[in-house]
Amino acid sequence: MINRFNATLMLESLRGKRMMFVGDSLNRGQYVSMVCLLHRLIPEDKKSMETYNNDALTVFRVKDYNATIEFYWAPFLLESNSDNAVVHRISDRIVRKGSMNKHGRHWKGVDILVFNTYLWWVTGQDMKILKGSFKDVEKEIMQISTEDAYRMAMKSLLRWVTRNLDREKTRVFFTSMSPTHSKGNWGGEAGENCYNQTTPIVDPNYWGSDSRKSIMKVIGEEFSKSEFPITFLNITQLSSYRKDAHTSIYKKQWNPLTTEQLANPASYADCIHWCLPGLQDTWNELLFAKLFHPDLI
């Protein structure tokens, strides 16, 4: 049993410090969850939320504590052609090899770093990896398997934290893959997804086909070699049961829905992101427990 989230203790531990979530929109969801868990303790005139770097960086500032909780958009961690925090719906994704410093310069000096990256790598095809620069007129691009590309990213991340962070000052966490429920492979009807689901999956052995065990294997192999201590937040199994916890049709629609979509809500249900309050609060309870009681879990 993990200790319950204590907002007062969490705020006090952040006094004079920076906490940053780095990754994609799922990590942004966990970031928003953390802010929501804390902000009710803070008077309105003692907190602020601002964005920087063309919305790549969002900073929640707690003035009396001289503390910040931040989110930095970097869906691959490495530089990519999807780095625009607002306009990044690109099907032909390209990741630049050995480019961790492009984003990493914004992570230096942070006291608690929480990384994630997974969903953007899973395109159903090989990943395109750029050698050189996006500014090169003639670009050298190679295609490798998702697992090999992901391993490359993990090696780059571990190399970066070892070279740029002080293990006596900075705690580093890495959140495992967030499952989706776009396909009803939990024993439901054909074509079923998260739409209109109101109960969790009860099979304790359920593991969604979208959560690649081959990627978990890569993480385990590379992190076991790390010279820098990184705490792994394994949220995959506990989240896999929650087919009922997605935003489904109750989210902002960036484009007007068609008549066909309106007639079939399941066709536009978001089965990737999670409702708040909700499951990602549990992720932060796990993060809290790992921060303050690492030997108990």
Side-chain angles (χ1 to χ4, degrees):
M1 181 176 179
I2 66 174
N3 293 67
R4 291 185 64 84
F5 188 90
N6 184 321
T8 303
L9 176 58
M10 189 72 203
L11 266 179
E12 192 57 47
S13 72
L14 289 174
R15 188 179 293 276
K17 294 181 180 179
R18 296 174 64 195
M19 180 180 199
M20 181 183 285
F21 293 82
V22 179
D24 59 22
S25 56
L26 290 158
N27 223 23
R28 179 162 49 206
Q30 188 175 356
Y31 159 74
V32 172
S33 164
M34 179 63 76
V35 170
C36 289
L37 288 168
L38 299 177
H39 88 97
R40 62 185 176 83
L41 298 181
I42 310 161
E44 287 298 322
D45 62 340
K46 300 297 183 182
K47 59 190 174 187
S48 64
M49 181 86 82
E50 299 174 288
T51 58
Y52 305 90
N53 292 356
N54 297 316
D55 293 333
L57 178 65
T58 304
V59 180
F60 177 73
R61 201 175 305 276
V62 188
K63 297 174 184 177
D64 284 352
Y65 287 80
N66 187 30
T68 60
I69 306 170
E70 309 172 33
F71 171 74
Y72 185 90
W73 172 263
F76 292 98
L77 302 183
L78 292 162
E79 182 184 6
S80 76
N81 63 346
S82 303
D83 285 345
N84 188 304
V86 179
V87 183
H88 47 249
R89 295 188 177 188
I90 299 171
S91 57
D92 189 24
R93 298 168 184 171
I94 302 172
V95 178
R96 182 183 165 216
K97 184 179 181 180
S99 58
M100 198 65 69
N101 284 330
K102 173 68 185 295
H103 298 306
R105 57 197 173 95
H106 298 284
W107 313 335
K108 293 181 179 180
V110 174
D111 300 279
I112 303 171
L113 276 164
V114 185
F115 292 103
N116 95 310
T117 185
Y118 171 68
L119 196 63
W120 285 69
W121 297 91
V122 187
T123 63
Q125 52 195 330
D126 287 347
M127 285 297 303
K128 292 184 177 181
I129 306 299
L130 171 69
K131 292 183 177 181
S133 170
F134 279 105
K135 295 179 180 179
D136 293 343
V137 176
E138 294 187 9
K139 296 178 175 61
E140 183 181 355
I141 296 176
M142 60 180 180
Q143 291 190 221
I144 59 178
S145 70
T146 298
E147 286 75 14
D148 287 344
Y150 197 88
R151 188 182 299 276
M152 175 197 73
M154 293 301 98
K155 287 179 179 291
S156 293
L157 175 63
L158 296 176
R159 193 160 48 241
W160 185 89
V161 298
T162 300
R163 293 175 179 175
N164 292 280
L165 301 180
D166 182 351
R167 67 172 61 208
E168 301 299 323
K169 179 182 184 296
T170 303
R171 290 285 303 276
V172 177
F173 296 84
F174 189 91
T175 304
S176 68
M177 63 189 75
S178 175
T180 69
H181 294 91
S182 300
K183 301 175 182 177
N185 58 352
W186 51 80
E189 297 179 8
E192 191 177 34
N193 63 12
C194 72
Y195 172 67
N196 220 23
Q197 299 293 328
T198 57
T199 58
I201 295 167
V202 295
D203 178 4
N205 298 313
Y206 174 76
W207 183 277
S209 59
D210 57 338
S211 299
R212 292 196 189 182
K213 290 186 177 181
S214 57
I215 294 294
M216 291 287 266
K217 183 171 182 285
V218 169
I219 295 171
E221 289 172 351
E222 294 306 321
F223 279 32
S224 67
K225 306 172 189 173
S226 177
E227 299 175 21
F228 193 101
I230 296 180
T231 302
F232 187 57
L233 294 178
N234 191 347
I235 55 86
T236 306
Q237 186 72 66
L238 68 90
S239 304
S240 292
Y241 305 127
R242 296 303 309 276
K243 61 181 171 65
D244 59 318
H246 292 284
T247 54
S248 186
I249 62 174
Y250 307 103
K251 59 167 285 184
K252 179 177 180 178
Q253 301 297 331
W254 296 101
N255 298 304
L257 297 171
T258 65
T259 303
E260 291 77 12
Q261 286 176 313
L262 290 170
N264 180 19
S267 67
Y268 66 91
D270 182 345
C271 299
I272 295 174
H273 299 96
W274 307 97
C275 289
L276 287 175
L279 176 66
Q280 290 183 300
D281 298 331
T282 303
W283 298 4
N284 278 322
E285 291 212 21
L286 180 60
L287 173 59
F288 174 84
K290 292 276 190 177
L291 267 170
F292 294 100
H293 308 284
D295 297 329
L296 297 182
I297 55 175

